Structure formats: structure tokens, C-alpha cells
Amino acid sequence: MKYFLLILFFSLKTFAQISPGDLTNAHANLEGISNCTKCHEIGNKVLNSRCLDCHKEVKNLISANRGYHASSDVKNKECASCHNEHHGRTFRIINFNPDEFDHIKTGFKLTGAHAKKECKDC
């Protein structure tokens, strides 16, 4: 019994090194040992370039120096510092509080009819 527990313990620890947890629903298609390098460099962290390979709309806005991800609050940060993964299917990878968000940082001031819109409308 003692050996079984030891084997189980080390198996779980090894598996956690390979896959520390489920991805969010948005990235579930990237799960599996053969998909790790789609986001990670082998033995390393997630690379921004790999995030932006899929998230082309964000990449285009950053390249055009427009939008929130081009703002001084975000530009040159690691994507994973705000959008961390491996916390389960229902984890909020975009943790957005509309009551605290300064929309001016997107480069688009909300005035007139735009000021009356709900965040979810856009």
C-alpha cells in the first residue's frame, strides 16, 4: 500500500508538470500534450507572439497603436500576466470590471449615444 501511494503521489506531481490544469472553455481546443507548443516554448512560459498568432484582432490593434492593448497600461506586458490559463473550464480569463474601466484608455472616448451603450453591446 505504501508503494502504491508513493507511485500515485509522484505520478500526480509529474502530470501537474505536464499539464497544471484544464484550460478555459475558450482555449479547450488547445489541450493535450501535442498542443502545448502552440502556446508554450518547450520548458518555458507562454510567448506573446503565440497568443497574437491566434488573436489577430488584438495584434492588428497593437500594431496600429490603437485600443486598450496598445495603451501604456498594457503595452509590452506579457499576455499571461492578465490572461492566465490552466485554472479550469469556467475560469474568467478576461476579468473585466466595467464599473472601474477607463474607456479613454482604448483611444475612444464615450460621448453622445456611445456613452449610453452597455459594454456588452460592443
Side-chain angles (χ1 to χ4, degrees):
M1 178 70 168
K2 179 171 68 174
Y3 294 114
F4 172 74
L5 291 175
L6 252 147
I7 291 169
L8 179 64
F9 174 76
F10 284 109
S11 295
L12 291 174
K13 292 286 271 183
T14 302
F15 181 73
Q17 295 302 311
I18 295 171
S19 180
D22 289 341
L23 297 175
T24 58
N25 283 323
H27 294 135
N29 65 309
L30 296 171
E31 273 191 356
I33 194 77
S34 62
N35 289 324
C36 296
T37 57
K38 288 183 178 176
C39 301
H40 295 271
E41 189 172 86
I42 293 176
N44 209 341
K45 60 186 178 176
V46 172
L47 300 175
N48 281 358
S49 60
R50 300 221 175 124
C51 295
L52 296 173
D53 284 345
C54 289
H55 297 278
K56 293 179 186 335
E57 70 286 354
V58 175
K59 182 179 183 175
N60 291 339
L61 286 168
I62 292 169
S63 295
N65 205 33
R66 294 180 36 232
Y68 180 66
H69 288 92
S71 74
S72 61
D73 284 5
V74 181
K75 196 171 190 172
N76 299 320
K77 281 178 113 177
E78 299 294 323
C79 299
S81 69
C82 295
H83 306 290
N84 203 302
E85 264 291 3
H86 291 287
H87 299 288
R89 291 279 190 260
T90 59
F91 181 73
R92 289 181 59 194
I93 195 164
I94 300 173
N95 198 7
F96 174 75
N97 184 342
D99 296 329
E100 296 177 6
F101 184 71
D102 181 3
H103 202 279
I104 290 175
K105 292 179 181 177
T106 67
F108 187 87
K109 185 176 179 180
L110 295 177
T111 59
H114 290 114
K116 298 173 187 158
K117 287 288 196 184
E118 295 289 323
C119 294
K120 63 181 172 52
D121 294 338
C122 296

